[in-house]
Amino acid sequence: MPLSMVKKGESNKIVKVGGKEEVRRFLEKLGFVAGSPVTVVSENAGNIIVNIKDARIAIGRDMANKILV
Amino acid sequence: MAIKMALAGNPNSGKTTLFNALTGAGQYTGNWPGVTVEKKEGKWKARKDVTIVDLPGIYSLSPYTLEEVITRNYLLSERPDVILNIIDGTNLERNLYLTTQILELGIPVLVAVNRMDLVEKSKDRIQMDQLGELLGCEAVPISAQKGTGVLEAAEKAVALAQKQTSFALPYAFDERVERAIASVGERLGSDIPAERKRFFAIKLLERDDKIVEQIQTLPDVSDAIEALERTFDDDAESIITNERYACIASVLKSCYVKNETNRLTVSDKIDRIVTNRLLALPIFAAVMFLVYYVSVTTVGGWATDWVNDGLFGEGFHFFGYEVPGIPVIAERALQAVRCADWMQGLVIDGIIAGVGAVLGFVPQMLTLFACLGFLEACGYMARIAFIMDRIFRRFGLSGKSFIPMLIGTGCSVPGIMASRTIEQDRDRKMTIMTTTFIPCGAKLPVIAMIAGAFFDNSGWVACSAFFVGIAAVVCSGILLKKTKAFAGEAAPFVMELPAYHMPTAGALLQSMWERGFSFIKKAGTVILLSAVALWFLQGFGWVDGGFALLEEGQAEYSVLAAIGGILAPLFSPLGWGDWNMAVAALTGLIAKENVVATFGVLSGYAEVAENGVEIWSVLAAGMTAAAAYSFLVFNLLCAPCFAAMGAIRREMNNRNWFWFAIGYQTALAYAASFCVYQFGTFAATGTFGGGTAAAILVTAAFLYLLFRPDLELKRVYGKKKLGINI
């Protein structure tokens, strides 16, 4: 299921990060690696704020669609 | 022995706060990732032989953003004696990712765990000795904001630099990965010292194309990469990223206990409200309204009135005593010493009128800077980027472009600098080009002058000026995206949001003063000089066949009039072909405050308030309202002041791009004010002339550029059907 469809407050484990190589690499560095738990904190028109490894990261909708949990 | 200490760490981990604490410097800090865009050097207060370098924050040593390139190049080529790696204690796991890379550089490292006050508050436990042992370096607790542990950390780092002992990593990746690293390391030439072989070997495995420039004899490692990728069925860079996180997890397991009881932090709760789907935009609008209300109307307005009417005016009453204003004092003093008339004119009509017009504006600027500083320091600025992203994306810009623009409402120069956080080159270039359209603080006096002289001080003039600026940004976004150079989607939005915190009063005052001071400095230098030059140029001229000091009423013979006269025909299609106005627009290129100052000097009023209230009648007599608005639009959109142009040039780092930006801005300004004047005149008088026809043509051409089908998009996505989820 893409991260953009996850319910607020629910903890999920990341399965796969897709998208362009450059952005995928950047996300991996921010902690979006397979197995990492991730929680959606807030959602605004598909753009989301997630909690991962104790950091809050804002992600645009296009990218949130490409992160599978 | 001179020691060079580099501060490295994640964005917003508190490097600059630590830097300021150690060096006593007043470097600018803020609570959003990417505040520091350039490395800064300073000397440690306690030991002058220790140079401390504050590096831009980075997430890793791979070159994804400009800041990462700057930091990495510095660490690789300058070789500091010791690296003080600052990590955010409230976000250990992610921060240690960079640490695992820094440890591979073969430079002594001290890990300073920052924000210990917050860690203790949330009852998390970090065992420092064990953390250091597991990482193979020393770890110390600090709180940069509270100033605890800072000196001890610096002393320990200096001791490490003096020892220069090499160390071995106590942890290792998966055996198969280690084998690949070792085999690549063996192939590296002797130009890479042994302690750095691991770093370069990993970079080669990751196919880092920028690292290649640093290696003399480049070995072929494609077989090692392929073998590794086949074993793990993943690409090499991801494999290594995973390994790093796996190592961090095992390190943290034995030295870190997180208090799990309080999962939803205060920041999360605030975020639920301020980034809420329904409330986000109204809250943002209210915050911005408050910022402008406070800085322009109330606090800033009162202070500005006091400065203009009192300090640079007739004088003011102080507990019943009458205190004369500066012009009055200066006039009395000059008369008392029987100064020559022309000298009095220079001081009072030239310097005090010109510089005073600008200085009168300082209180408003300071209030605005304080408000913007607060937004930055508390952490809301980063949320604004998130909220605005979905709107900006429609115009081909990312939400990150909004931060430069918001900072640009204060001053374009830091706004342009802030564009560095935007990863994608073309997004960044477009942001640089459009940031100056947003009316900066220095343009406010021009707006106030036009509103007062022609539109009965109506509030909608200021409002419409902002609207013109935003429309220019939006149209430019759409229009430029359809050209070849800018085609393509904006990079996906990914941004770390800092935790909210209450900024300290000291930090706030510091950021306010630092930015405000550059305005005051400008008034004392550039504007002082141009006021003097203007006064001479308008005071001397050719009368009766000779070059002489002009009498009153002979302004049209002045040198300035001659210069203005040459330029004026250029602007007559815009409705203000008078030499006065041409000169004002020209001096506006030096600094926008100069526009009002120029009118001050030209009209010969010793004292011109920041909005030029004294010259309104003179102005209003010479121009129609349409021409005045056209003048305003031109000054809003045209090439910015020297300082901002310098910033554009530095950030573009390319002469052609610089001239393209300036040319585009000026062409847009000229076209927009031409249309404003021609349509305005048509609406007011009803006469349809050649100018009106030309304006219709210009508008049509502009609309075509705006709405033409996106050929570039078609070219890129040629075979995909347009409109379906690209």
Side-chain angles (χ1 to χ4, degrees):
Chain A
M1 176 169 64
L3 192 57
S4 51
M5 290 166 75
V6 167
K7 253 200 276 171
K8 258 199 261 181
E10 209 178 75
S11 183
N12 281 281
K13 280 209 156 70
I14 289 177
V15 175
K16 190 178 176 297
V17 180
K20 268 200 217 117
E21 188 177 306
E22 211 185 28
V23 187
R24 196 181 72 228
R25 295 263 152 83
F26 184 51
L27 281 170
E28 279 172 357
K29 259 133 232 172
L30 286 175
F32 288 80
V33 286
S36 267
V38 57
T39 318
V40 176
V41 175
S42 174
E43 186 259 327
N44 185 331
N47 291 5
I48 53 172
I49 298 177
V50 299
N51 203 323
I52 186 157
K53 296 196 190 294
D54 291 330
R56 272 164 302 278
I57 314 276
I59 306 176
R61 179 171 51 187
D62 331 349
M63 201 56 226
N65 279 331
K66 291 173 191 145
I67 300 172
L68 301 178
V69 293
Chain B
M1 173 184 127
I3 291 172
K4 215 175 231 181
M5 183 197 306
L7 305 183
N10 276 192
N12 209 38
S13 60
K15 291 174 296 302
T16 305
T17 312
L18 179 65
F19 179 78
N20 285 347
L22 287 176
T23 62
Q27 287 301 344
Y28 160 59
T29 56
N31 190 16
W32 47 282
V35 182
T36 305
V37 287
E38 261 168 354
K39 69 178 169 65
K40 287 169 188 141
E41 280 191 27
K43 299 253 184 255
W44 185 14
K45 272 188 293 188
R47 281 187 57 176
K48 295 289 177 199
D49 59 334
V50 178
T51 309
I52 302 175
V53 186
D54 183 22
L55 294 168
I58 50 172
Y59 291 112
S60 74
L61 290 178
S62 356
Y64 184 72
T65 60
L66 252 178
E67 292 114 309
E68 289 181 342
V69 178
I70 294 173
T71 303
R72 185 167 100 170
N73 285 349
Y74 179 83
L75 292 176
L76 282 177
S77 52
E78 298 282 316
R79 309 280 303 151
D81 299 302
V82 61
I83 299 174
L84 187 54
N85 176 209
I86 296 138
I87 60 180
D88 181 350
T90 62
N91 184 359
L92 269 184
E93 199 175 351
R94 223 276 316 291
N95 276 256
L96 283 173
Y97 181 81
L98 176 67
T99 307
T100 62
Q101 289 187 305
I102 288 179
L103 289 171
E104 285 159 0
L105 286 169
I107 300 172
V109 178
L110 178 75
V111 168
V113 183
N114 195 11
R115 305 216 164 103
M116 278 312 285
D117 48 326
L118 297 179
V119 172
E120 277 155 25
K121 210 165 143 194
S122 59
K123 298 200 174 65
D124 297 342
R125 278 207 317 274
I126 307 170
Q127 283 170 297
M128 286 297 159
D129 307 347
Q130 192 140 23
L131 177 65
E133 207 173 291
L134 292 167
L135 290 172
C137 63
E138 246 179 297
V140 291
I142 65 165
S143 167
Q145 207 184 3
K146 298 252 173 348
T148 45
V150 168
L151 283 181
E152 292 86 334
E155 271 158 19
K156 238 174 211 166
V158 169
L160 275 178
Q162 281 163 338
K163 259 194 284 175
Q164 286 292 341
T165 44
S166 58
F167 57 89
L169 287 179
Y171 58 87
F173 297 157
D174 183 282
E175 201 186 316
R176 292 162 294 181
V177 181
E178 287 291 345
R179 228 180 289 136
I181 295 171
S183 101
V184 172
E186 278 162 21
R187 293 182 224 179
L188 283 167
S190 54
D191 57 313
I192 308 288
E195 72 269 18
R196 302 169 77 182
K197 282 223 156 76
R198 184 180 174 88
F199 176 80
F200 280 98
I202 291 176
K203 286 291 154 208
L204 283 179
L205 277 176
E206 289 175 339
R207 295 192 184 88
D208 186 326
D209 45 6
K210 289 224 175 84
I211 210 74
V212 169
E213 298 154 15
Q214 312 254 1
I215 302 176
Q216 283 167 13
T217 45
L218 194 66
D220 178 28
V221 295
S222 49
D223 59 310
I225 299 176
E226 269 168 41
L228 194 62
E229 292 185 339
R230 224 177 303 119
T231 323
F232 284 86
D233 188 27
D234 203 346
D235 68 291
E237 203 179 345
S238 300
I239 298 169
I240 289 170
T241 305
N242 273 312
E243 286 303 319
R244 288 191 195 282
Y245 271 115
C247 286
I248 293 165
S250 73
V251 164
L252 287 182
K253 209 185 237 167
S254 48
C255 67
Y256 178 57
V257 185
K258 195 171 164 48
N259 176 15
E260 297 285 337
T261 49
N262 191 11
R263 289 301 318 167
L264 201 64
T265 63
V266 180
S267 286
D268 289 343
K269 281 180 204 155
I270 300 175
D271 272 338
R272 287 226 162 144
I273 300 165
V274 302
T275 63
N276 178 290
R277 185 195 306 238
L278 294 173
L279 294 175
L281 285 177
I283 289 177
F284 170 63
V287 167
M288 285 324 288
F289 176 78
L290 204 68
V291 165
Y292 277 96
Y293 188 72
V294 166
S295 52
V296 178
T297 318
T298 57
V299 182
W302 298 326
T304 296
D305 285 348
W306 180 80
V307 172
N308 282 322
D309 302 341
L311 209 54
F312 289 104
E314 303 287 311
F316 47 89
H317 296 275
F318 188 70
F319 294 119
Y321 294 98
E322 195 165 333
V323 185
I326 287 178
V328 183
I329 298 175
E331 201 172 347
R332 283 183 199 157
L334 288 171
Q335 273 166 1
V337 297
R338 298 175 185 280
C339 194
D341 275 354
W342 70 269
M343 190 66 193
Q344 282 191 34
L346 171 64
V347 172
I348 293 171
D349 302 335
I351 296 174
I352 297 181
V355 175
V358 175
L359 282 185
F361 199 61
V362 165
Q364 265 180 6
M365 293 305 332
L366 287 182
T367 325
L368 180 65
F369 287 150
C371 291
L372 289 178
F374 180 81
L375 288 189
E376 279 177 61
C378 74
Y380 186 58
M381 191 69 97
R383 271 74 182 183
I384 297 175
F386 172 73
I387 296 165
M388 296 308 283
D389 183 65
R390 72 179 162 144
I391 297 172
F392 264 45
R393 201 147 289 269
R394 294 196 195 143
F395 316 123
L397 284 165
S398 129
K400 286 188 187 173
S401 305
F402 199 75
I403 295 184
M405 284 171 198
L406 199 61
I407 294 176
T409 58
C411 174
S412 297
V413 175
I416 292 165
M417 299 281 286
S419 68
R420 285 210 189 165
T421 46
I422 300 165
E423 302 92 1
Q424 208 173 56
D425 198 45
R426 54 170 188 259
D427 294 359
R428 190 171 60 242
K429 288 201 165 95
M430 201 146 90
T431 310
I432 294 170
M433 283 177 68
T434 50
T435 296
T436 59
F437 289 149
I438 302 292
C440 70
K443 287 175 185 167
L444 288 183
V446 187
I447 300 171
M449 180 180 77
I450 298 288
F454 295 93
F455 300 98
D456 203 17
N457 234 345
S458 144
W460 68 259
V461 177
C463 258
S464 73
F466 277 88
F467 183 72
V468 166
I470 290 166
V473 171
V474 166
C475 293
S476 301
I478 299 173
L479 196 146
L480 291 173
K481 268 283 156 180
K482 293 185 183 176
T483 61
K484 206 169 188 169
F486 290 102
E489 294 264 309
F493 184 80
V494 179
M495 185 177 187
E496 185 179 6
L497 304 179
Y500 288 98
H501 75 88
M502 202 60 189
T504 60
L508 215 57
L509 284 174
Q510 197 176 5
S511 87
M512 175 181 94
W513 174 246
E514 201 177 309
R515 286 176 174 182
F517 184 66
S518 73
F519 260 78
I520 297 169
K521 210 164 65 185
K522 204 161 65 170
T525 52
V526 179
I527 292 171
L528 177 74
L529 283 177
S530 44
V532 171
L534 272 175
W535 187 84
F536 273 107
L537 289 175
Q538 63 91 39
F540 289 86
W542 292 273
V543 227
D544 306 327
F547 188 75
L549 178 65
L550 297 175
E551 306 283 321
E552 211 164 305
Q554 288 182 324
E556 65 267 33
Y557 299 113
S558 65
V559 181
L560 198 61
I563 300 171
I566 299 169
L567 291 171
L570 211 58
F571 297 117
S572 56
L574 310 185
W576 35 281
D578 184 42
W579 68 267
N580 283 309
M581 306 296 275
V583 167
L586 191 69
T587 54
L589 290 183
I590 301 169
K592 286 287 178 257
E593 302 96 313
N594 251 340
V595 174
V596 179
T598 302
F599 284 127
V601 176
L602 285 178
S603 59
Y605 282 93
E607 151 232 335
V608 172
E610 137 251 353
N611 53 7
V613 70
E614 291 80 4
I615 49 175
W616 287 358
S617 54
V618 184
L619 269 180
M623 261 196 306
T624 63
Y629 200 76
S630 137
F631 178 74
L632 177 62
V633 169
F634 187 83
N635 275 291
L636 285 180
L637 302 183
C638 76
C641 62
F642 274 0
M645 283 194 259
I648 293 179
R649 199 196 155 92
R650 272 198 311 279
E651 294 306 305
M652 287 289 193
N653 203 14
N654 175 323
R655 192 193 302 211
N656 295 338
W657 271 107
F658 167 72
W659 284 112
F660 176 66
I662 299 297
Y664 174 76
Q665 290 166 342
T666 310
L668 183 71
Y670 196 89
S673 19
F674 178 67
C675 293
V676 165
Y677 175 63
Q678 296 298 344
F679 289 133
T681 309
F682 178 68
T685 61
T687 29
F688 190 93
T692 327
I696 292 175
L697 280 180
V698 171
T699 314
F702 182 72
L703 289 177
Y704 168 72
L705 284 176
L706 208 53
F707 292 112
R708 71 184 164 137
D710 201 335
L711 294 176
E712 291 303 323
L713 195 68
K714 255 191 200 154
R715 193 177 57 81
V716 176
Y717 298 98
K719 284 184 182 117
K720 287 186 197 170
K721 270 184 196 159
L722 277 171
I724 300 174
N725 236 356
I726 31 177

